[in-house]
Each structure stands twice: as C-alpha cells, then as structure tokens.
Amino acid sequence: MAEPYSLYDAACDLYIVPVRHHSPACAAHLLALLAEIRPARVLVEGPCDFDPLIALVADAGTRPPVAIVSVEDGKGDGGKVVGGRRAVSYYPFSAHSPEYAALVAAKVAGIPAAFIDLPMSDRAIGGDGEALALLHDEAPFNSSDYVRALARRLGCRDGNEVWDHLFEAQLHRCDWRRFFHEVGSYCRHMRDCTDAVTMEADGTLAREAQMRALIARARSDTKGPMVAVVGGFHAPVLAGSLKAGDKVKAAGKGSRAYLVRYGHRQLNALTGYSAGLALPAFYDGLWRRRGDGEGLYSAYATDLITGFAAHLRERLPGFAPRFRSWRRRWKPLTVWPTCAAVRGRCATISLMPAVRPC
C-alpha cells in the first residue's frame, strides 16, 4: 500500500502541488491555495529557458490560448548546426491551465516566478511539433494499468472520464487541501505502476533531477513558503528529496522562443494534440462558470444543447429539420439528468452519451 500523498514538505517550507495540464479543477484549487498560502516564490513545471517570457505570458493583455514556440537550429551527428534544418516545439497554455493560472496569480501578487524543467533544447523535453515533456506527463492518465483498472471498476470509458468523475466534478468545491491530497494519491498510484526503465528511457528521471536542483536553488535564496506546481506524475518523488549541489542543465545555443497565438482546435486531443484534454473549449466553458456553485454543471449542459441547436438553425438550416420533431430535438434535455444519476456522474460530463442517440 502506497503512503498517502503529502502536499507540504515542512522541512523545506515547500508545497509540491500535483496538477494535470489544462485542468480547470486543478487551476481553480491552485488559485485558492496561492491566495491562502501567499508564497514567497512560485515555481512552475516548464522549460527553464522560457523564463524571459513569463512576464509576457502573464501580462494582462495576453489572451489564452497561447503557446510558447521554441525554434532550435538542427544539428548533425557531429553537433554542428546544419543549415535549413530546424526543430520547432510548442508549449501551450489555455485559460484553465494550472501553470498559466499560477504565473498570472504570481504576477498580480508581485511574487517571483520561474520555470523548473529542463530547457526545451534538451532531448528529454523538446521535440519537433509537440513538447515531448507534455506527452510523457499526459500518457499515464490514460495508459496506466492503475487507471485502466479503475476505469473498469467505475464503469468509465477511459482515463479521461475517470479523471472527470473524480476531479473535474470538484471544480465548484473549496477544499484545496483535500483536492490536491486526492490528486497526489491518484498520481502516486499511476507512478507505482510505471516501470523505472521506462521513466529512464523517456527522460522522466532526468527532468525530475532538474526540477529538484532548481527547487533547491530557489529554496537556498528564498525566505518564506514556496509553491512548486508540477505534473502529478512527478509530485510524489519531489517532496522531501531536494539535494543541494545537484547540477542544473542550461539551455543550449541556437535555441529561440516566442509567444504566439494558439487555438482550441490545436489544443484538442481529438484533433491531434496528444498532450491535451479532449474538447478544450468545453473545459474553457466550465472554467468561465467556476463561480456559479454546484449548479454550474446542469446550467452549462443546458446551455450547450440549446446553443448548439441555435447554431444549427443559423449556420446549417438544411440540417436542423432532420430532427423528427421538437420533442426529439430537445430529448437530451430530459435524458442527461437521468443518465447522470444512473451512472453517478455530474450532469455536464454525462451530456455526450445523452446526445449521441439524437
């Protein structure tokens, strides 16, 4: 039996906060944590060579989704730059990304913030297209033996539905200690089911060594509590394991980074973004309603259905009449609450199975 996850490392006055990328529930509870703890420094999982762009990412004029794009000159086997070859990687932020929420909150409060992962130029984190680090962080949430077994036990279709049922359904709640304790324990079980050889091969262990080193460096020159926001898979091994003197890997030459506009289509796991949640615009809608209390799920589900019907009438008038009757058109409005109750899910998350038969 794995030990319960401990959010706070008293010896280092450090909170290791486990999150999932682009999770509205994680972002909301993280904001509550930061408001209460008022840390002296905020550290965020992300390529350390992106630090110069933090002020721009967190600027009041920045409207997510955005992405930091890293461009690195290609190199041959001898390490020399090869003309015409470049590796381009994207590191995106949505409005409901915990990392984005942390950077904005830190800037508003005047708290120093920094990234603590390997530089994007490192093989373990960068890639051509999507940042490999994000792919590795996200994979266990669907492929872990623990998550698959839990999905079978809970009657969920996949790991995303397990996550929604256990965590996104807590978006409206106010107990960040309980929430992150549960997320950390969940991620600890995922990690326990992952082979060490795999973590060595995909660069996970190298990345965690960098995180420990940068957290230790920040701890040495910071007075007061610190908060480190990291992918849940890494969190269980970071608390209580800081080592003074660990080497920090700096960015290589020939790498440049820029902040660019991004979109929900690019973020969508269903359209090719492997490190994202499915339907990011859907979660963006949840995020915007986060202050509406427990009723936000039912109200949002109703708005989605009525809004989609209005969209069909306006944009595809020849398609809307295919509904056999008004009663059939609005059938999802009566089906989804029953579907939610039977399956023990919140209303919004049970919307899709209610709509499919219509």
Side-chain angles (χ1 to χ4, degrees):
M1 178 73 69
E3 296 181 2
Y5 178 76
S6 178
L7 178 68
Y8 180 59
D9 183 346
C12 297
D13 199 7
L14 171 67
Y15 291 83
I16 301 288
V17 185
V19 300
R20 187 178 185 185
H21 301 302
H22 312 299
S23 164
C26 286
H29 286 85
L30 175 59
L31 289 178
L33 180 154
L34 293 172
E36 181 174 333
I37 299 302
R38 301 184 63 144
R41 182 167 295 191
V42 173
L43 306 174
V44 176
E45 178 188 320
C48 60
D49 50 340
F50 288 174
D51 278 357
L53 292 173
I54 287 179
L56 189 56
V57 171
D59 189 272
T62 298
R63 295 290 182 266
V66 295
I68 296 178
V69 56
S70 175
V71 182
E72 184 182 13
D73 294 327
K75 297 179 180 179
D77 294 337
K80 295 183 178 180
V81 174
V82 178
R85 291 180 55 186
R86 291 178 177 175
V88 179
S89 302
Y90 293 87
Y91 199 95
F93 300 90
S94 58
H96 46 87
S97 294
E99 299 87 349
Y100 175 75
L103 295 175
V104 171
K107 182 170 184 178
V108 170
I111 301 170
F115 289 121
I116 55 171
D117 208 336
L118 288 169
M120 188 63 105
S121 56
D122 191 276
R123 181 177 57 85
I125 189 169
D128 198 358
E130 300 172 1
L132 296 180
L134 296 179
L135 301 184
H136 296 154
D137 284 356
E138 192 63 23
F141 285 97
N142 265 315
S143 62
S144 166
D145 290 341
Y146 169 72
V147 173
R148 289 174 176 172
L150 196 56
R152 290 193 295 270
R153 176 170 293 188
L154 294 175
C156 295
R157 298 174 185 82
D158 54 27
N160 283 332
E161 188 171 334
V162 171
W163 175 266
D164 281 348
H165 173 54
L166 295 178
F167 301 113
E168 295 307 331
Q170 297 189 47
L171 174 61
H172 66 286
R173 294 178 180 163
C174 303
D175 189 348
W176 60 262
R177 287 180 175 82
R178 176 179 176 180
F179 177 82
F180 285 122
H181 169 77
E182 292 176 351
V183 171
S185 298
Y186 181 82
C187 293
R188 181 189 291 278
H189 289 307
M190 288 196 313
R191 188 182 181 96
D192 287 344
C193 293
T194 305
D195 186 70
V197 175
T198 299
M199 291 188 284
E200 176 72 35
D202 66 18
T204 294
L205 301 184
R207 293 176 56 210
E208 290 166 353
Q210 175 87 344
M211 293 182 204
R212 282 193 297 268
L214 286 173
I215 293 173
R217 175 190 286 182
R219 179 70 284 172
S220 67
D221 60 11
T222 302
K223 294 182 179 180
M226 297 197 314
V227 169
V229 181
V230 300
F233 191 82
H234 308 294
V237 300
L238 293 179
S241 64
L242 303 186
K243 297 179 181 178
D246 278 356
K247 293 183 179 180
V248 173
K249 189 164 185 178
K253 296 181 180 180
S255 179
R256 301 171 300 284
Y258 312 91
L259 185 67
V260 299
R261 284 196 287 182
Y262 220 55
H264 287 134
R265 184 179 298 276
Q266 289 79 12
L267 276 170
N268 197 340
L270 299 181
T271 57
Y273 175 53
S274 303
L277 292 174
L279 308 174
F282 168 85
Y283 291 99
D284 184 71
L286 275 181
W287 173 249
R288 295 177 188 279
R289 290 175 172 267
R290 63 190 182 280
D292 291 354
E294 190 172 1
L296 73 91
Y297 307 103
S298 298
Y300 185 38
T302 300
D303 286 352
L304 282 174
I305 295 175
T306 56
F308 181 64
H311 171 79
L312 289 180
R313 290 195 300 272
E314 178 182 353
R315 302 295 296 275
L316 300 171
F319 177 78
R322 294 183 184 179
F323 289 104
R324 295 181 181 178
S325 67
W326 277 97
R327 182 179 179 183
R328 180 170 178 82
R329 179 180 299 180
W330 303 115
K331 181 179 178 182
L333 291 176
T334 60
V335 170
W336 63 258
T338 303
C339 186
V342 169
R343 303 185 68 230
R345 307 286 187 268
C346 78
T348 308
I349 295 168
S350 293
L351 180 61
M352 292 307 294
V355 171
R356 285 192 183 102
C358 301

